[in-house]
Amino acid sequence: GGPRLLLLAGAAIALLILLVSRCGWSPWVALAVVSLGLGYSAGQDWLAAPRSFGLGFSGILINVGPVIVLGGVFGKLLEVSGGAGVLAEGIARLGGGRWLAPTSALIGFVVGLPVFFATGLVVTVPIIFALARRSNTPWLRLAMPLVAGLSAAHGLVPPHPGPTVALDLLKADFGLTLLYGSLVGLIAALVSGPLLAPWLPIPDQASSAPVSDAPLRVDAAQSLPGFAVAFFFGLLPIWLLLAATLLDRGIKAGWLPADPPWQALAAFGTHAAWGPATALSIAVACGAYVFGVRAGFPSQQFPRIAWSGVRPMFGALLVVGAGGGFNRVLNDCGVGIAIQSFAAETSIPPLLLGWTTAALVRIATGSATVAVSAAAGILAEIVTADPSINRPLLVVAMGAGSLILSHVNDGGFWLVKEYLRMSVRQTLATWTVVETVLSLTGLASVLALDAALRVW
């Protein structure tokens, strides 16, 4: 029955939270154990539960695994060639001295689009410190907008793991998710960064200093790419997917002919399985030349660079796959249908329900990817039954919920604390507040955008 299934689902999520936050289990191990326990408790036999989990695990990795791996390789190329540093420095020069805080948020957001949070933090913080030193500004007042931009890109914009998992589970349009996530993420980053920074308890003269005050540089025998080159090729996956989305909208609106060549190009932005992976493959191939050959790296180093980009992704892939397995068990047990009936009776708007579910899991487990995976799995049946739901906006809403209230159970909390040389109390008073405002602003932006789209 529906109530019993809802109680089982609630107990499964509570157990997941306990295993991750209190017992210190790895998120993917906890997801696997909880998924099997839920399956058996809901009446699946001893073969059906592992089969459901395995099908979900493999099914989602087939779609999103190549995207995550290629994203890691491309981000590593940007990092080791100095392209990410050139990109950040160029944006800083364009921002001038008057707009340092918005410029810092923009640097974080733009650099965070192609690279992961930790890489973006390492590459950009030295540049922010140099800006603060030249302008005699407490550098933490520029670092907070920076991490707001990095976090917004990581949590709201594919091909980062969280939104990529959600758009695959919900079968959302990749290009529109990218477009909405970028718009909402930029707004949220500017509000939670530059507008919030003056109100944060940061001393006038910051006593701490970053790990290094020198921007990342490659070997002297190698050459850094120019800003225009870094800007175009560093964001090449974004340009390809956005262009494909515009082509698709043009074909549907009748502005472009529905010929096979145009439709093939438009598929980059609409086909969730191979479109983004193809776009990233093109970007990696171009990046290998622009950020590899032209930067002076011998071709023998390419496998090592690629491996160093792929290796950190293994943990994310395990969590992503386990999240897909959890989703499949939920659906096979009928939990999704029960939640669908509950949502219909309570009349909670789907966008708000998605944000709330992701936020609760995030607060308890500290993992944004687990939060998005669980929320997408829970709402998958609701989305399937209601075609009026804006799926790309729902993905962005879940991403916003997955960013709220970063605290001591979040690895990102400790990364920011250690790299920015803050105490736990300072980190709670700054980073945690920034993340919470970022999440709430993201929700407000999603709801406003949804209302605007309905009117339009």
Side-chain angles (χ1 to χ4, degrees), residues 180 390 393 448-456:
Y180 295 158
N390 191 318
L393 274 182
L449 183 55
D450 182 58
L453 290 173
R454 291 180 183 275
V455 172
W456 182 69

Side-chain angles (χ1 to χ4, degrees), residues 101 141 193-202:
R141 294 203 179 277
L195 294 182
L196 181 65
W199 303 94
L200 295 175
I202 297 174

Side-chain angles (χ1 to χ4, degrees), residues 56-68:
F57 190 101
S58 59
I60 194 170
L61 286 185
I62 290 173
N63 289 337
V64 307
V67 176
I68 294 174

Side-chain angles (χ1 to χ4, degrees), residues 91-104 131 135 137 142 194:
I91 296 174
R93 287 195 300 269
L94 295 175
R98 185 178 179 183
W99 304 96
L100 286 178
T103 299
S104 300
L131 287 176
S135 61
T137 303
L142 301 184

Side-chain angles (χ1 to χ4, degrees), residues 40-73:
Y40 294 138
S41 301
Q44 288 187 308
D45 61 41
W46 66 282
L47 283 178
R51 185 186 303 116
S52 293
F53 181 80
L55 289 174
F57 190 101
S58 59
I60 194 170
L61 286 185
I62 290 173
N63 289 337
V64 307
V67 176
I68 294 174
V69 169
L70 288 169
V73 174

Side-chain angles (χ1 to χ4, degrees), residues 143-170:
M144 287 300 111
L146 172 77
V147 294
L150 287 168
S151 182
H154 182 80
L156 301 176
V157 185
H160 291 290
T164 302
V165 171
L167 70 88
D168 181 74
L169 291 175
L170 301 181

Side-chain angles (χ1 to χ4, degrees), residues 44-422:
Q44 288 187 308
D45 61 41
W46 66 282
L47 283 178
R51 185 186 303 116
S52 293
F53 181 80
L55 289 174
F57 190 101
S58 59
I60 194 170
L61 286 185
I62 290 173
N63 289 337
V64 307
V67 176
I68 294 174
V69 169
L70 288 169
V73 174
F74 188 67
K76 181 58 65 174
L77 281 170
L78 275 178
E79 178 189 355
V80 300
S81 68
V86 170
L87 191 61
E89 288 182 320
I91 296 174
R93 287 195 300 269
L94 295 175
R98 185 178 179 183
W99 304 96
L100 286 178
T103 299
S104 300
L106 185 61
I107 289 173
F109 187 75
V110 173
V111 173
L113 289 175
V115 303
F116 285 85
F117 182 86
T119 297
L121 186 68
V122 171
V123 170
T124 54
V125 160
I127 299 165
I128 295 301
F129 181 61
L131 287 176
R133 186 170 52 187
R134 289 200 298 265
S135 61
N136 196 28
T137 303
W139 79 277
L140 283 178
R141 294 203 179 277
L142 301 184
M144 287 300 111
L146 172 77
V147 294
L150 287 168
S151 182
H154 182 80
L156 301 176
V157 185
H160 291 290
T164 302
V165 171
L167 70 88
D168 181 74
L169 291 175
L170 301 181
K171 308 305 178 189
D173 185 294
F174 195 103
L176 284 179
T177 305
L178 177 65
L179 180 62
Y180 295 158
S182 298
L183 178 61
V184 171
L186 187 57
I187 294 172
L190 291 175
V191 171
S192 61
L195 294 182
L196 181 65
W199 303 94
L200 295 175
I202 297 174
D204 291 336
Q205 297 296 328
S207 58
S208 57
V211 173
S212 171
D213 61 355
L216 179 67
R217 287 284 187 258
V218 293
D219 187 82
Q222 299 161 353
S223 59
L224 287 168
F227 173 70
V229 173
F231 186 77
F232 179 78
F233 286 99
L235 301 181
L236 185 57
I238 310 299
W239 306 139
L240 290 173
L241 292 169
L242 286 179
T245 300
L246 294 177
L247 283 176
D248 180 67
R249 295 294 168 263
I251 292 173
K252 291 180 178 178
W255 301 334
L256 294 173
D259 296 333
W262 291 104
Q263 291 179 336
L265 291 174
F268 277 112
T270 58
H271 198 290
W274 62 264
T278 304
L280 273 168
S281 297
I282 295 172
V284 169
C286 294
Y289 174 74
V290 174
F291 302 114
V293 175
R294 285 188 56 180
F297 287 100
S299 59
Q300 295 86 348
Q301 292 191 21
F302 290 163
R304 183 174 59 86
I305 295 173
W307 172 246
S308 63
V310 171
R311 185 174 52 196
M313 298 301 103
F314 287 150
L317 289 172
L318 287 172
V319 174
V320 166
F326 182 61
N327 166 60
R328 181 63 181 257
V329 172
L330 283 171
N331 290 333
D332 288 352
C333 292
V335 174
I337 297 175
I339 294 174
Q340 176 187 341
S341 301
F342 173 77
E345 294 173 359
T346 56
S347 300
I348 300 176
L351 295 178
L352 183 59
L353 181 60
W355 180 89
T356 303
T357 304
L360 292 174
V361 179
R362 154 70 168 192
I363 292 171
T365 65
S367 171
T369 303
V370 171
V372 174
S373 300
I378 289 171
L379 270 69
E381 289 292 337
I382 298 177
V383 172
T384 302
D386 188 354
S388 67
I389 296 175
N390 191 318
R391 299 186 184 195
L393 274 182
L394 181 57
V395 172
V396 179
M398 291 176 179
S402 73
L403 297 176
I404 197 170
L405 204 65
S406 170
H407 59 97
V408 294
N409 66 347
D410 176 22
F413 176 92
W414 298 104
L415 177 66
V416 170
K417 172 195 173 297
E418 292 300 321
Y419 200 78
L420 301 188
R421 292 293 192 264
M422 294 189 293

